[in-house]
Amino acid sequence: MAAFFLFLHQNQSVMGTYINLGNIGFQRVRNNEYVDKSGLIAIINSTLFTERSCSCVSRSRRFGKSVAAKMLCAYYDHSCDSRELFADLEIASDPSFEKHLNKYPVIFLDLTNFTTRFKDDSIIEHVQKELLADVHKAFPDIPIMADDDLMAYLIRVTESTKQPFIFIIDEWDAICREFKPGTHAMDDYVNWLRRMFKGSNSPQVFAGVYMTGILPIKKYKTESALNNFIEYSMVEPRRMASYFGFTKDEVKSLAKKHGMDFDELEKWYDGYQIGDEQSIFNPNSVMQAIDVGRCRSFWATTGAYDAVAHYISMNYEGLKDDVIKMLAEERCKVNPTKFQNDMSIIRSKDDVFTVLIHLGYLSYDWQKNECYIPNKEVAGEMVNAVEANNWTHVMNALETSEQLLQATLRGDGDAVARGVDVAHDENTSILSYNDENSLACVLSIAYYYASNDYIIHRELATGKGFADLVLIPRKNVDSPAIVIELKYDKAVDTAIEQIKRRQYPAKVAQYADNLLLVGITYERDTKQHQCCIEKV
C-alpha cells in the first residue's frame, strides 16, 4: 500500500516547463524504431555523487544527442514511473537500474528554446527568471527570497528536501554559437555555468549534471571554462563511443529487418571512427533511408552547410590541396588540441579540420592523428561546398570523371590518357608530381565518379607488393573489376606486365573472368600520359 501511495504522489507532481517533464519525450522515441542505447545510463549512474558527476557529451548534429537526453530525463525523473519503458532494454539488467530509477527531481533545459527567442545580451536573465519561476511551482512551500538567483533557490530547496537534483542541458553550446566571445551574453553565460556547476554548493545541489551539444566546452586562454566536467567528444569519446551513432552490427540488423541493402547503407552513412569504434554510422541518415526505402543524402537538414563552405574557403597554407586530397579518399594530418572549441575563432588549418570533425564532415583517427571524409553522403556535401567556393579546376575534374570511367570500361586507352592529362593539369598543386604516389592521388580524383559503383582501394596488398589502384564492383553492379598500375617515366607495357606478375587476393581473383588491367604512365620529358588497357 505504501508503494502504491508513493506512486500516486509522484504522478500528482505538477508538470513544469523545465522540471517534472516526466517520460513523454522518451515515450515518443520508443513509439518509433529504437536502437537500444540505454547502456549509456549505466555510465552516468557510475558518476553520480562522485567528483566525475558532471558530464559533457559533444557530437555532430543528428547523432542521437537529444534522444539520449530524453532517455536520461525519463529514467531519473521522480514525477513518473518509467519502469515499463526500460524493462526490455539493456539497462534493465544493470545492477544500478533500480537504485536510480525515477528517484530525482530533474531539470531539463534545451537552450535553443532561448536562443530562438532572445537575441540580445539579456538572454541569461531570461534563462534564470524562467527556470526559477518553474522550479518554484514544483516547490511552492519554499518561498523565493528577494535576492535569490536560481542557484540560491536550489540550495535552499535541497537543504529543505534533502533531495539533490539531476540537471540536463541539451544544446549547451547554442549560446556559444549565437554570441561571439567577449560579448556580455557570453560572459554572463560562462559565469552562470560556473555559478551553477563549479561552486562549493554544487555537489550538494546536484547528484549529476549532463550537458550535450556540438562543441566541447569552450577554452578561455589555456583553461576550460568548466574543468570539473568530464568531456566525451568526437575527438575523445572515452566510454561513450558506441552510444551515439549506430554500430555496424546494429545497422546490419536494421537492414535485415527492413529489407535494405546493407552495402548501400555502409557506402552512404558509415565511415566514422569514434575512439576505438572503427565503424560508426550516422543514425539519423540510416533511419531516414529506411523510412523512404532508399539511400540518398539527408545531410542538408543538419544546417551546417554554410559554415563548412566558409571554413574551406579560408586561405590557410595547404588547406585547399588537403581538401582535394580527401575528396580523392586520402587522409590528412591534423592536430585537434589547439582548437579553442569556438567556431568563430579559427586560426589555422588544424582549427578548420577540427571544427569539421565536430560538425561531422570529417572523421578522426586518433591513433594516427589523421582526418578524412567518412562516406558518400558527406563527400557529396563537401563537393557542394567546393562548388560554392568556385574551385573551377576541381569541379571540372570531378564532372569529367564519369567520362573517364566510361572510357576505361570500353577499353579506350587514348581517351583515358587524355582524361588523366586534364586531371593532372588542373590539380598540379596537390603534390610535387614526381612519383607514382603523386600520380595515384590525381587518378583518385579523376576516378571520383567511380565510387558510385565501385569500392576503390589505394595500394591494395597483393601476393607481391601492392597494386596502386583497385576498383571492386559494389554489390549488384554488373561491371568488371579494374586493376590500375601507375608508372613514372617508364614504358606503359611495364605497368601491364607488372600487374600480370602479381598475385591478387580473393576479392580480385573472383573477377578473373571479368577484369580490366590498366597501365598508366607519365613521361616527364613530354609531360604526357599514356594508357594501355587489357581485358582478362
Side-chain angles (χ1 to χ4, degrees):
M1 179 66 73
F4 181 65
F5 174 79
L6 177 61
F7 174 79
L8 286 178
H9 174 73
Q10 289 178 342
N11 282 270
Q12 287 173 348
S13 299
V14 176
M15 183 176 182
T17 305
Y18 308 103
I19 192 171
N20 296 332
L21 297 187
N23 56 26
I24 188 170
F26 193 54
Q27 283 182 27
R28 289 179 178 271
V29 171
R30 292 296 325 259
N31 286 341
N32 293 314
E33 184 98 39
Y34 178 65
V35 174
D36 187 357
K37 298 294 183 179
S38 64
L40 170 68
I41 297 172
I43 295 177
I44 300 302
N45 282 348
S46 71
T47 70
L48 299 183
F49 301 103
T50 73
E51 291 184 348
R52 305 176 75 253
S53 63
C54 295
S55 303
C56 181
V57 178
S58 56
R59 289 294 187 277
S60 306
R61 286 183 172 92
R62 307 299 192 264
F63 261 73
K65 302 185 300 297
S66 294
V67 169
K70 291 173 183 175
M71 176 183 70
L72 293 171
C73 183
Y75 173 76
Y76 290 117
D77 195 328
H78 71 171
S79 70
C80 59
D81 184 350
S82 300
R83 187 176 303 276
E84 289 189 11
L85 271 178
F86 292 97
D88 61 334
L89 300 182
E90 176 187 343
I91 185 60
S93 61
D94 189 87
S96 69
F97 177 66
E98 294 290 344
K99 182 177 180 180
H100 300 288
L101 177 66
N102 299 133
K103 294 295 198 303
Y104 305 92
V106 176
I107 300 173
F108 185 96
L109 171 64
D110 181 348
L111 274 169
T112 59
N113 290 334
F114 288 88
T115 57
T116 55
R117 288 187 289 151
F118 305 107
K119 304 295 184 181
D120 58 28
D121 289 340
S122 66
I123 187 169
I124 296 303
E125 295 177 20
H126 293 287
V127 172
Q128 287 255 43
K129 180 180 178 181
E130 292 190 22
L131 264 65
L132 180 58
D134 202 51
V135 173
H136 180 240
K137 289 180 183 178
F139 299 94
D141 295 335
I142 302 176
I144 298 176
M145 301 301 183
D147 57 348
D148 274 351
D149 62 2
L150 177 61
M151 188 58 175
Y153 186 65
L154 291 177
I155 290 170
R156 288 193 293 104
V157 170
T158 307
E159 289 174 343
S160 176
T161 64
K162 309 302 180 186
Q163 177 64 72
F165 290 80
I166 298 286
F167 203 126
I168 298 172
I169 302 179
D170 196 12
E171 301 285 357
W172 86 269
D173 56 337
I175 290 178
C176 304
R177 301 195 306 266
E178 292 292 331
F179 295 89
K180 293 182 179 181
T183 60
H184 288 299
M186 271 302 301
D187 290 343
D188 287 350
Y189 183 42
V190 172
N191 289 333
W192 180 73
L193 290 172
R194 286 172 169 159
R195 162 75 169 144
M196 293 293 297
F197 306 127
K198 204 175 178 182
S200 58
N201 295 111
S202 299
Q204 166 196 337
V205 174
F206 301 113
V209 179
Y210 179 91
M211 302 197 309
T212 186
I214 296 172
L215 295 176
I217 293 172
K218 178 173 171 54
K219 298 175 183 177
Y220 283 82
K221 296 182 180 179
T222 59
E223 295 184 358
S224 170
L226 294 167
N227 56 14
N228 59 317
F229 272 74
I230 306 300
E231 297 204 62
Y232 306 84
S233 70
M234 295 286 279
V235 171
E236 183 53 81
R238 301 176 187 261
R239 295 184 292 164
M240 292 191 186
S242 64
Y243 293 111
F244 297 87
F246 291 164
T247 65
K248 183 170 288 190
D249 287 342
E250 289 167 344
V251 177
K252 283 183 177 179
S253 296
L254 288 169
K256 183 177 180 180
K257 178 179 179 180
H258 295 279
M260 295 287 290
D261 185 337
F262 171 77
D263 291 339
E264 279 295 295
L265 291 169
E266 185 177 41
K267 174 178 75 173
W268 277 87
Y269 312 122
D270 189 15
Y272 290 97
Q273 179 177 339
I274 302 180
D276 291 331
E277 289 289 338
Q278 298 291 319
S279 184
I280 293 291
F281 291 65
N282 182 313
N284 178 69
S285 296
V286 169
M287 296 310 298
Q288 290 207 55
I290 289 173
D291 187 47
V292 302
R294 64 183 181 88
C295 294
R296 63 178 180 83
S297 178
F298 301 98
W299 197 258
T301 60
T302 62
Y305 166 75
D306 289 340
V308 173
H310 170 68
Y311 291 134
I312 70 169
S313 71
M314 293 182 172
N315 192 29
Y316 293 114
E317 183 178 1
L319 175 61
K320 179 177 179 179
D321 292 344
D322 281 351
V323 170
I324 296 171
K325 286 182 187 178
M326 287 189 283
L327 285 172
E329 301 188 9
E330 295 275 318
R331 292 185 172 209
C332 294
K333 287 292 184 180
V334 60
N335 177 5
T337 61
K338 295 181 180 179
F339 180 53
Q340 295 295 302
N341 299 337
D342 190 318
M343 293 169 66
S344 66
I345 302 177
I346 305 295
R347 296 170 175 163
S348 67
K349 181 174 67 175
D350 283 330
D351 284 351
V352 173
F353 287 161
T354 305
V355 75
L356 292 179
I357 290 167
H358 289 302
L359 290 172
Y361 280 80
L362 296 177
S363 184
Y364 174 65
D365 183 338
W366 66 271
Q367 293 172 313
K368 297 180 179 179
N369 285 324
E370 293 177 340
C371 59
Y372 57 95
I373 296 173
N375 53 48
K376 178 176 175 60
E377 181 182 43
V378 178
E381 292 305 306
M382 290 293 281
V383 169
N384 290 340
V386 165
E387 185 175 13
N389 280 286
N390 295 317
W391 293 7
T392 306
H393 295 318
V394 180
M395 291 308 301
N396 288 342
L398 297 178
E399 289 170 2
T400 58
S401 64
E402 181 178 6
Q403 300 171 19
L404 185 70
L405 176 62
Q406 294 304 318
T408 305
L409 293 174
R410 67 175 182 266
D412 190 342
D414 290 340
V416 170
R418 290 193 299 270
V420 177
D421 279 338
V422 172
H424 168 222
D425 292 342
E426 293 179 343
N427 296 284
T428 51
S429 65
I430 294 174
L431 289 168
S432 176
Y433 200 69
N434 57 10
D435 56 23
E436 283 87 358
N437 185 58
S438 308
L439 180 56
C441 185
V442 169
L443 258 292
S444 294
I445 295 170
Y447 279 98
Y448 176 82
Y449 179 84
S451 63
N452 290 308
D453 293 332
Y454 287 88
I455 299 173
I456 301 176
H457 299 275
R458 281 284 307 274
E459 295 190 339
L460 181 67
T462 70
K464 298 177 181 179
F466 296 86
D468 292 312
L469 214 62
V470 177
L471 283 64
I472 304 296
R474 294 187 183 275
K475 186 178 179 180
N476 300 322
V477 173
D478 186 20
S479 296
I482 303 172
V483 178
I484 303 175
E485 186 71 29
L486 309 171
K487 290 298 175 186
Y488 182 83
D489 259 356
K490 293 182 181 179
V492 69
D493 292 343
T494 305
I496 292 293
E497 288 304 314
Q498 185 163 317
I499 297 175
K500 292 178 178 179
R501 288 197 302 268
R502 285 187 171 151
Q503 300 169 1
Y504 292 97
K507 64 174 63 178
V508 177
Q510 65 179 304
Y511 294 96
D513 296 329
N514 193 20
L515 180 64
L516 291 179
L517 309 182
V518 181
I520 299 176
T521 65
Y522 177 72
E523 296 182 8
R524 179 171 48 186
D525 292 338
T526 64
K527 293 183 170 47
Q528 296 293 312
H529 297 83
Q530 290 186 335
C531 176
C532 180
I533 301 175
E534 288 189 16
K535 182 174 177 59
V536 177

